[in-house]
Amino acid sequence: MRKAFLVHTLLAVILISSLYLAAVDEYRYLLSLVPEELESIVIEPESQEYSVHTADGTVLYSETFTRSEPLSVGECSSGICRWIEVLDTGADALSYPDSLIHRKLYELFHIDEVSLKSYTAGRFADELLEGKEPEGIEGLIVKKLTSKRLIDHYGVHGLYTILANRVYVGSQAFGVRAGAVSLFNKEFSEISMKERALLAGMLKDNERFEPAGNYPSAERRANVVLHELYTAGVIEHSAYASARNERLMLTPPEKIKPVEPHYLRAVELELKRRGFEPGRPMRVYTSIDLDKTRLARKVLKGSLQGEEGKLQGAFVLINMETAGIEAAVGSRYSDTLKRAFYRRRQTGSTFKPMVYCTAFANGFRPTNLIVDKQYSYNLGNTVYSPRNFEDLYLGKIPLRKGLVYSLNNATIQLAKRTGLSKVCETARNFGFQGDLKPFLATPLGIFPTTPVNLAEMYSTLGRLGEQRDTGLVRRVELADGEVLEFGRTGRQVVNARAAYQTLFIMKDVARIGTARGAGLLRGTAAKTGTSDDYKDAWTAAVFPPYVAVAWVGYDDFRSMGEKGTGGSKAAPIIARFQKELLGSRYRADFSVPEGIVFKKVESRYGGLMTADCRGRRSYTEALDVSNMPDPCR
C-alpha cells in the first residue's frame, strides 16, 4: 500500500514537473517573439507629403502633411493624456477576457489589466508584430506581452504622448500641436475644452477623418468625448455643460487643385488595387508622359474631325520596356479616360494573334497549310457558319495568310486544332481581364475588354512573351523610407520564338494586310479588328519600345457602316501619332530571340527553297530551328 502511494506520488511529481517545464519552455518561446526594439513607434517631427509625379517629375498632385513639434510626457500627463486614458482604458476600452482559461493564461504570463485593455498599447503592438506573431491563443498572448513590454518601457502616459505626437488629426496634420493650428488656428495651449475633446477623440479613433470637412460629425465626436469625461468624473458638470454648448469653429481645409484629375483618379484606383491607401504620406512616381498625352489628344481629335458628332474614340500608349502607361485618351472632346480605362468592348480580330502565338508555341509552323473556306459547325439546335470579311476565301494557304488577311474561318480551324482552351489560357497569361470561355467564336474576339487591357496583352507579345505588371504606378516611396517598384521584372508565359513569329507575320498586316494604306510606319507589327455590324473598330500596333491601341465606335453600340473597320477608322490614328512622335523615317526594330532563323520558303506550299525549286515564287519566313519545314518539292 505504502509502495503504491510512493509510486503514485512520484508519477504525480514527474507529471507536474513535466507540465511546469513545458510551461516554462512555452513562456520562453513566446517571450522570444516579443520585439526587443521598441523605438520604431516613435516618429520624428517632420513634414511628409502625398504626391503623384509624372515620368519627367511634374507634380500632378501634392498634399503636405505637417508634423508638429512633440509634446513632452510632462505636458501630456498634465493635460490631454489623462483624457486619452479615460477613453483608452475606461468604459469603452477593450473588454477584459471573460474566459477562465484566458484569464488564467494571462495571469500565468503576468500580463496586467492595463496591458489587456489598452487600445493604444495594442495598436503599437500590432505595428511591431506585423507578420511575426503566431496564430490563435499564442498570438494573443504574444500581442499582450508586447503591450506589457511597451507599457513597462514607456509608461502608460509615455505611450499616450507618442500617440499624441504621431496620429493623423485631419487637414494634413499629424500630432496635436499641428492639429490645433490646422483645425482651429490656435496654439495647442490656447485651445478650448471642446476643441481639446475633439483632438482626444481623434486620437482614440485612428480612422482617417477630416473634421473641417464634416462639421456635424466633428460636433458629435467632441460631445461624446465630453460626456465620457464627465461620466468618469474628470470634468465637472458645469464645465461639461458649458463645453457642450460651445460651437466648434473649424478652419476649412485649403482646396488643392490637381493637374490632370482624370489621371489622378486612375492612379488612386491602381494604388488601392496594389494595397495602398491614396492620400496617406507617400510619393508616387508614375509613367505618365504629359507631352505624349497632349499629342494623343490632338491626334484623336484631329483624326475624328468631320466625323458624326457622337462618334467616339480612345487611345492608349504603353512603353513595353518599363511596362508603364505613358498616355491615355478616352474621348475626342475631353480629358476623360473612361473609354480607355473602364469601358469594355468586343475586340474583334485584334484577339487573333493569341490564336497564332498559341499554335506556334504548340508545334505549328507559319508555313503549315490550312484550308480557308466557309465551315459550318453543328451546335445542337443551331448551326454556326461564320463568314470571312467580304466573303473572301483563299482555299489552301500557309497559316501566316490567315493572320495577315484576318481570315475568320482559317483562324477558327487553327484554334480548334491547337485547342480552344489553350488559346484562352494564353490570353489570360498575356493579361486578359474578364470572362473568357473556349467557344468557337472566341478567336474572333467576342469577349470584351478595355483598350488599356488590350494594350497590356500586346505589350506581353511585344516583349516576346514576358508578362509584366503593367500600369500607371511605377514606384512608391513610403513615409518610413521603404521603396516599392513595379513592372521591372516579369515571367515568361509563352515561348519567345512563338511570340516573335507572330510579330513577324503582323508586320505584313501593316504592309499588305488589313492595315495596308493606313500609313503605319515601316516595320510596325499591327492587327486590326472590327466587331459584328461595324460597332467597334480597333487597331493594335507594336513598334518598340511602344505599343499603341486605338478604338473607335459609338457609346450606344450603333453601327458605323461598312467603312467602320479597324483598318480605315483606327489604324490611321496610330499612324498619325507615330509620325508626329517619331518622324516618318522611323523604322521599327525587334529583337530576334535565339533559335529564330530567316529562310526563303516556297509561297504556295511553304517548303524550304532549294535549287530544285528555283524560279518559284517565295518569301522570307521567321522559322524556329527546332521545327523546320521540309524542303520544297
Side-chain angles (χ1 to χ4, degrees):
M1 193 77 175
R2 179 178 176 80
K3 185 177 180 180
F5 173 76
L6 290 173
V7 170
H8 289 151
T9 302
L10 179 60
L11 290 173
V13 170
I14 292 172
L15 178 60
I16 292 170
S17 299
S18 298
L19 291 173
Y20 173 76
L21 291 174
V24 169
D25 286 344
E26 179 72 4
Y27 180 62
R28 287 173 179 167
Y29 164 69
L30 294 178
L31 274 179
S32 72
L33 299 177
V34 178
E36 294 284 347
E37 300 295 328
L38 307 176
E39 286 68 29
S40 63
I41 67 169
V42 180
I43 296 179
E44 294 299 320
E46 60 180 7
S47 291
Q48 296 180 351
E49 67 176 9
Y50 167 63
S51 57
V52 179
H53 306 256
T54 63
D56 66 357
T58 301
V59 178
L60 292 182
Y61 185 76
S62 180
E63 292 181 62
T64 299
F65 298 85
T66 304
R67 278 197 188 280
S68 58
E69 288 301 314
L71 292 176
S72 67
V73 177
E75 287 178 296
C76 187
S77 296
S78 62
I80 201 168
C81 269
R82 174 64 182 132
W83 290 21
I84 300 172
E85 184 176 6
V86 170
L87 300 174
D88 192 47
T89 59
D92 195 29
L94 294 175
S95 58
Y96 191 78
D98 53 6
S99 165
L100 178 62
I101 295 176
H102 283 184
R103 288 202 301 271
K104 291 302 180 184
L105 283 171
Y106 290 141
E107 289 173 11
L108 176 65
F109 286 98
H110 308 292
I111 301 172
D112 57 80
E113 185 173 345
V114 173
S115 302
L116 288 172
K117 297 179 69 175
S118 173
Y119 271 107
T120 301
R123 181 187 309 171
F124 289 148
D126 285 338
E127 187 175 311
L128 292 170
L129 290 168
E130 185 175 5
K132 301 174 185 176
E133 75 274 20
E135 297 180 353
I137 184 62
E138 287 185 339
L140 291 173
I141 291 172
V142 170
K143 177 176 176 178
K144 298 308 178 184
L145 284 171
T146 304
S147 298
K148 178 174 171 33
R149 180 166 288 179
L150 282 165
I151 290 171
D152 290 344
H153 182 77
Y154 289 109
V156 175
H157 282 192
L159 283 183
Y160 296 153
T161 304
I162 293 170
L163 177 64
N165 288 327
R166 60 171 276 181
V167 76
Y168 181 76
V169 289
S171 298
Q172 292 77 54
F174 283 83
V176 293
R177 287 194 193 277
V181 173
S182 64
L183 292 177
F184 312 117
N185 199 25
K186 298 178 183 178
E187 294 298 322
F188 180 69
S189 59
E190 299 172 348
I191 60 177
S192 69
M193 182 178 289
K194 188 162 190 175
E195 291 165 344
R196 190 167 298 203
L198 177 62
L199 288 176
M202 295 180 73
L203 299 182
K204 166 64 188 299
D205 184 356
N206 199 31
E207 292 183 4
R208 189 171 174 85
F209 171 61
E210 291 288 348
N214 193 341
Y215 288 88
S217 181
E219 283 278 347
R220 287 193 299 272
R221 182 172 292 205
N223 288 335
V224 167
V225 172
L226 288 169
H227 184 265
E228 288 290 330
L229 296 173
Y230 166 63
T231 303
V234 178
I235 59 176
E236 299 291 335
H237 183 270
S238 58
Y240 164 62
S242 175
R244 268 192 68 94
N245 291 331
E246 177 189 340
R247 188 170 183 271
L248 286 173
M249 300 298 292
L250 296 167
T251 305
E254 183 181 351
K255 295 288 185 182
I256 301 172
K257 186 177 181 180
V259 179
E260 296 285 351
H262 299 291
Y263 266 136
L264 184 64
R265 282 194 286 274
V267 168
E268 290 177 344
L269 286 173
E270 186 174 329
L271 286 171
K272 288 180 179 178
R273 175 174 64 82
R274 297 187 185 280
F276 302 102
E277 184 180 347
R280 288 294 192 182
M282 59 182 159
R283 290 187 178 94
V284 180
Y285 294 90
T286 72
S287 53
I288 299 166
D289 187 310
L290 294 181
D291 288 337
K292 293 187 179 82
T293 297
R294 295 184 190 105
L295 174 59
R297 287 172 182 157
K298 183 184 84 168
V299 166
L300 186 64
K301 182 178 180 180
S303 298
L304 297 181
Q305 194 168 13
E307 297 278 4
E308 196 270 329
K310 292 185 178 181
L311 186 67
Q312 274 293 354
F315 179 91
V316 176
L317 183 74
I318 290 179
N319 186 317
M320 294 185 294
E321 294 178 356
T322 65
I325 300 169
E326 293 194 353
V329 185
S331 170
R332 63 188 280 194
Y333 296 118
S334 68
D335 298 345
T336 181
L337 301 180
K338 64 182 181 180
R339 294 176 189 85
F341 270 78
Y342 315 119
R343 189 157 293 174
R344 305 170 68 84
R345 303 288 293 236
Q346 285 188 341
T347 60
S349 295
T350 55
F351 188 85
K352 286 176 180 173
M354 300 298 106
V355 175
Y356 289 83
C357 188
T358 306
F360 299 150
N362 282 273
F364 285 84
R365 294 187 294 268
T367 56
N368 285 147
L369 299 179
I370 198 164
V371 176
D372 177 54
K373 66 177 185 177
Q374 187 170 16
Y375 290 88
S376 295
Y377 305 93
N378 192 337
L379 302 179
N381 295 328
T382 61
V383 174
Y384 177 52
S385 187
R387 297 167 52 197
N388 286 358
F389 182 66
E390 294 185 340
D391 279 326
L392 173 69
Y393 304 94
L394 299 185
K396 186 179 286 187
I397 55 170
L399 290 183
R400 69 162 18 247
K401 288 190 176 182
L403 184 55
V404 170
Y405 299 111
S406 200
L407 302 174
N408 290 341
N409 281 272
T411 302
I412 292 174
Q413 279 292 301
L414 179 60
K416 279 190 66 186
R417 294 183 190 180
T418 305
L420 287 163
S421 294
K422 290 180 180 178
V423 172
C424 291
E425 182 181 4
T426 295
R428 293 188 194 99
N429 286 337
F430 272 47
F432 185 89
Q433 297 169 6
D435 192 24
L436 195 62
K437 292 184 173 63
F439 298 156
L440 281 170
T442 296
L444 308 187
I446 61 170
F447 290 99
T449 193
T450 64
V452 162
N453 187 218
L454 187 64
E456 179 183 359
M457 295 167 65
Y458 272 79
S459 295
T460 302
L461 183 64
R463 283 189 297 270
L464 302 182
E466 184 193 38
Q467 202 277 333
R468 293 192 196 174
D469 187 0
T470 304
L472 294 166
V473 177
R474 299 297 86 199
R475 187 170 83 254
V476 175
E477 296 178 0
L478 299 176
D480 62 4
E482 184 180 4
V483 177
L484 301 167
E485 301 202 46
F486 306 98
R488 286 185 171 270
T489 59
R491 63 189 181 98
Q492 197 71 27
V493 296
V494 77
N495 184 296
R497 298 175 192 177
Y500 183 83
Q501 288 177 305
T502 306
L503 289 165
F504 187 75
I505 295 171
M506 287 167 57
K507 290 184 180 183
D508 272 357
V509 173
R511 189 173 67 88
I512 59 173
T514 56
R516 67 188 180 279
L520 293 169
L521 293 181
R522 286 178 300 170
T524 298
K527 186 68 194 80
T528 62
T530 309
S531 67
D532 285 346
D533 297 326
Y534 307 98
K535 294 175 182 177
D536 301 277
W538 295 85
T539 295
V542 185
F543 48 107
Y546 301 111
V547 163
V549 166
W551 167 86
V552 177
Y554 289 105
D555 289 338
D556 59 4
F557 295 91
R558 80 173 85 160
S559 173
M560 290 177 283
E562 292 186 358
K563 293 184 179 180
T565 65
S568 62
K569 293 290 187 185
I573 295 172
I574 295 178
R576 184 170 174 179
F577 180 88
Q578 284 181 315
K579 289 170 185 173
E580 295 212 29
L581 177 68
L582 302 169
S584 59
R585 295 186 178 182
Y586 170 91
R587 185 185 183 96
D589 185 25
F590 292 82
S591 297
V592 181
E594 185 178 350
I596 286 289
V597 294
F598 299 94
K599 297 289 184 181
K600 289 281 188 180
V601 296
E602 196 265 338
S603 295
R604 186 171 182 182
Y605 297 111
L608 282 173
M609 290 293 290
T610 65
D612 295 337
C613 309
R614 190 174 298 141
R616 297 185 189 179
R617 295 181 62 184
S618 65
Y619 63 91
T620 300
E621 188 60 270
L623 298 171
D624 184 337
V625 293
S626 66
N627 187 20
M628 298 290 285
D630 294 329
C632 66
R633 294 173 298 185

